[in-house]
Amino acid sequence: MSDSYYGRPVIKEPTWTWEIPIYLFTGGLGGGSAVLSAAARLAGNERLAKTSLYLGAAGDVVSAPLLIADLGRPERFLNMLRVFKVTSPMSVGSWVLFVSGGASSTAAVLETLDRLRPVKYLAELVSALFGGPLATYTGALLANTSVPVWHEGRHELPWLFGASGTATAGAAAALLLPPEEAGPARRLAIGCAAAELAAMEVMQHRVGRLLAEPYRKGLSGQLTRASKLCVAAGAGLLAWKGRQSRSAAVGGSTLVLAGEMLLRWGVFKAGFASARDPKYTVLPQRQRRDSNR
Amino acid sequence: MSVPDGWLAYGDEQQERVGFFTDTSVCIGCKACEVACKEWNLVPEDGLVFTGESYDNTSTLGANSWRHVAFIEQEKPLRLDDEDGEPLRWLMSSDVCKHCTHAACLDVCPTGSLFRTEFGTVVVQEDICNGCGYCVPACPFGVLDKRHIPSLPATTTRVSGSEPQASERPDGRVWKCTLCYDRLKGGHEPACAKACPTDSIQFGPLDELRARADARLEKLQQENWNGVQLYGRDPDDGVGGFGAFFLLLDEPEVYGLPPDPVVTTRDLPGLWAQTALAAGAVVLGVVASFLGGRR
């Protein structure tokens, strides 16, 4: 029995280019940092609150032009806000980023000017409320497609990206702050790096041997392995010496950040690999069909 | 289950749901459908290649091919009771957008560019589309794609002595079959069905087409045709039935079609639940990280 039509893909690869995996990283940084900043403000750790506020605003502010640049018609980016559709994670995400980015950049500007403190606190609250969704919806964005490794990883992708974004936020703050101010950020980076590695293992296991292939083979496999290595080494270094040594904190944080960026690229490229080869679409579907016949 | 999402909202303006029944047992591979579609819809030429894949140089549906005739040469008998020594058959099938009852492209479109027409079909509004590309990997059939070449100017008359000038700029929007929405509005059948010389592509009210397909399937089964089956006719399948369905002579995957397509948004409620839980966990994780000291 033939498995495909001249080996051609059944579904189309996404048209998304390099801006999108970078956005997955910056959006995760923005969302995680907004929550971290608000928690630090409540805990009275003003230096951490300020650092994460700026990091979060930077993540959000960089994200928008990345997304706009990826559009086929960038000048029509505002069409994203002409409807709100819960059936489209991209529609929901556009609104989340719009609100969250607007709030975090407002708060960052007011922080710099040291004016309108109540407005700043309100903006920080809004940004923090939307931070969690901003860090996790990108998992739904990818999973809500016909791309086999993304769709079948739908139970884990929001957790994986949420953990990755929060680890990114923690590591970024721990990179910029001296260890005596960075305790929560460092612990967040270590804990969420471990959670991210665990989520990746669960996902690779749950999608089954065939669909886990893109995470082991080819470019996406190399990116995934490099990500695991960087994240594990970075989190280990932070846990071991990050509290005492500034240079260990800088090195560990940098490794975690690099690993989380590689993770986004690995998941992104694995999706393309699974869309390109028809066996990933046909074999699981044929199994499902034949068991229903 | 089998009512297209959004179609009922038309109220008084709602029209009978129409579609295609493509009976591949009478397709002769003439590609008149491909040509008629390109001519009527001003679909640009995107390069001429030789693939060596039987008579198919179009290869796939996409932004610049809204009908695609597949050619498969097989060493299989056409009928199960053929006693010939060396069996051989040549399968041909004109593929097209399925105009799903539950359409993933329409669900995921963040601008509302993709919409359900009063005829129950699915169409991209090109004045709205911003080329985000979300519908491209959402479609379980790989029908839509982004147009990376310039579009032709939408002029209906050619000034004598001057060729219409294509813009230099890549189009950047997504394109697919509209089931000739403009022709439907004028009471005409779509260009491909009109041009099909063997009535392999049949256009009409979907209910009628389904009844006709059932009768055709029964006849070919009685005549022992090898592998004959309907594809996309069942309103209970993963996309709620196709608006454009097929009679095939082998498994769908042989024609490059997915064996058991499911609209991706069917799983979205559970996916949103996971997303919300994970967002809550982000907050909890951050709070927990403050349980230690400042250092």
Side-chain angles (χ1 to χ4, degrees):
Chain A
M1 191 192 280
S2 182
D3 287 343
S4 74
Y5 184 70
Y6 303 105
R8 293 189 177 274
V10 172
I11 62 163
K12 290 277 183 295
E13 283 177 43
T15 57
W16 300 329
T17 48
W18 61 269
E19 298 91 342
I20 300 305
I22 308 232
Y23 161 67
L24 296 176
F25 177 86
T26 58
L29 172 67
S33 297
V35 182
L36 178 58
S37 170
R41 189 79 75 197
L42 290 173
N45 189 338
E46 291 294 323
R47 240 184 121 180
L48 176 56
K50 199 170 169 177
T51 302
S52 286
L53 174 61
Y54 289 143
L55 282 170
D60 288 354
V61 167
V62 171
S63 293
L66 284 171
L67 291 175
I68 292 168
D70 185 68
L71 297 175
R73 288 288 177 101
E75 73 278 12
R76 292 187 180 179
F77 77 95
L78 271 178
N79 283 3
M80 289 294 186
L81 304 182
R82 71 185 280 279
V83 289
F84 175 79
K85 287 169 74 176
V86 285
T87 58
S88 170
M90 191 183 285
S91 171
V92 174
S94 297
W95 282 102
V96 167
L97 181 63
F98 175 65
V99 173
S100 165
S104 68
S105 50
T106 303
V109 168
L110 294 178
E111 175 83 40
T112 315
L113 301 176
D114 194 21
R115 294 181 65 177
L116 297 174
R117 203 162 284 177
V119 178
K120 184 189 80 173
Y121 289 145
L122 181 68
E124 284 184 337
L125 177 68
V126 171
S127 161
L129 286 174
F130 282 78
L134 179 59
T136 56
Y137 96 85
T138 43
L141 178 79
L142 298 192
N144 190 47
T145 60
S146 289
V147 174
V149 296
W150 292 346
H151 190 77
E152 297 309 318
R154 64 187 176 275
H155 303 285
E156 293 82 20
L157 270 176
W159 295 89
L160 179 75
F161 281 7
S164 173
T166 322
T168 303
L175 175 70
L176 299 179
L177 286 172
E180 54 270 23
E181 301 284 344
R186 193 181 59 248
R187 285 191 292 276
L188 189 65
I190 297 165
C192 288
E196 180 263 288
L197 290 169
M200 191 64 178
E201 286 305 313
V202 171
M203 186 169 81
Q204 288 193 43
H205 181 73
R206 279 269 294 266
V207 297
R209 184 183 290 270
L210 177 71
L211 290 184
E213 261 179 24
Y215 287 119
R216 291 204 209 93
K217 293 183 179 173
L219 176 62
S220 49
Q222 288 169 351
L223 289 164
T224 304
R225 273 193 301 279
S227 162
K228 286 179 185 173
L229 206 65
C230 287
V231 171
L237 187 56
L238 282 178
W240 180 43
K241 285 273 184 201
R243 191 157 183 246
Q244 296 86 19
S245 151
R246 179 76 204 258
S247 48
V250 168
S253 299
T254 307
L255 278 169
V256 170
L257 290 174
E260 299 305 346
M261 178 66 95
L262 287 166
L263 172 85
R264 308 309 185 127
W265 276 98
V267 172
F268 185 71
K269 288 288 181 188
F272 281 67
S274 82
R276 201 177 301 127
D277 190 330
K279 75 178 176 186
Y280 298 116
T281 302
V282 169
L283 295 180
Q285 285 193 28
R286 193 155 72 191
Q287 208 169 15
R288 192 167 66 206
R289 176 194 66 195
D290 292 346
S291 64
N292 288 337
R293 262 184 185 171
Chain B
M1 181 65 194
S2 62
V3 176
D5 308 309
W7 180 47
L8 297 176
Y10 279 96
D12 291 347
E13 290 175 48
Q14 188 186 344
Q15 302 288 317
E16 200 168 15
R17 187 178 182 195
V18 294
F20 291 128
F21 167 45
T22 304
D23 177 357
T24 72
S25 69
V26 291
C27 179
I28 55 171
C30 69
K31 305 191 196 182
C33 50
E34 289 193 19
V35 176
C37 175
K38 282 229 174 194
E39 292 282 345
W40 181 263
N41 294 299
L42 277 171
V43 179
E45 183 253 304
D46 60 353
L48 302 171
V49 292
F50 178 73
T51 63
E53 293 164 2
S54 194
Y55 275 32
D56 182 9
N57 289 332
T58 307
S59 296
T60 178
L61 291 174
N64 311 310
S65 303
W66 302 352
R67 273 276 178 190
H68 161 232
V69 182
F71 291 76
I72 303 134
E73 297 170 37
Q74 285 185 330
E75 293 180 356
K76 285 183 181 178
L78 187 59
R79 295 181 191 218
L80 294 168
D81 51 3
D82 273 353
E83 300 291 328
D84 286 356
E86 289 177 33
L88 181 72
R89 68 173 179 175
W90 201 359
L91 304 181
M92 295 145 196
S93 170
S94 180
D95 196 11
V96 70
C97 170
K98 316 303 179 286
H99 295 276
C100 302
T101 304
H102 304 301
C105 59
L106 191 160
D107 284 347
V108 306
C109 175
T111 64
S113 167
L114 273 149
F115 78 113
R116 178 81 56 184
T117 73
E118 65 271 38
F119 302 100
T121 56
V122 181
V123 175
V124 185
Q125 298 173 87
E126 298 301 347
D127 54 339
I128 304 288
C129 177
N130 65 10
C132 77
Y134 201 13
C135 53
V136 174
C139 174
F141 305 97
V143 166
L144 302 99
D145 207 353
K146 201 186 269 193
R147 183 173 286 168
H148 297 287
I149 57 174
S151 282
L152 296 162
T155 48
T156 49
T157 51
R158 183 178 291 195
V159 181
S160 61
S162 74
E163 289 292 310
Q165 290 295 305
S167 133
E168 294 293 309
R169 188 186 172 192
D171 184 86
R173 295 170 292 179
V174 299
W175 296 82
K176 75 168 191 75
C177 162
T178 68
L179 217 131
C180 283
Y181 188 39
D182 51 350
R183 292 175 64 94
L184 295 191
K185 286 268 196 189
H188 304 285
E189 69 176 318
C192 56
K194 185 84 180 168
C196 180
T198 65
D199 262 355
S200 169
I201 299 172
Q202 299 175 31
F203 166 79
L206 196 54
D207 293 335
E208 266 178 44
L209 293 178
R210 284 174 174 162
R212 209 181 296 165
D214 291 340
R216 179 71 181 159
L217 175 70
E218 201 182 330
K219 182 167 188 287
L220 295 187
Q221 278 173 337
Q222 278 168 5
E223 292 175 5
N224 271 317
W225 283 57
N226 187 5
V228 63
Q229 56 183 287
L230 295 181
Y231 177 65
R233 181 242 177 275
D234 180 5
D236 294 325
D237 69 16
V239 298
F242 307 2
F245 66 101
F246 302 81
L247 182 144
L248 303 177
L249 297 177
D250 206 331
E251 298 294 351
E253 52 268 35
V254 172
Y255 296 89
L257 297 162
D260 186 23
V262 172
V263 56
T264 182
T265 41
R266 192 183 74 178
D267 298 315
L268 192 54
L271 181 53
W272 276 136
Q274 296 287 344
T275 306
L277 288 173
V282 165
V283 175
L284 287 180
V286 169
V287 170
S289 71
F290 283 86
L291 292 179
R294 178 171 289 205
R295 187 176 182 100

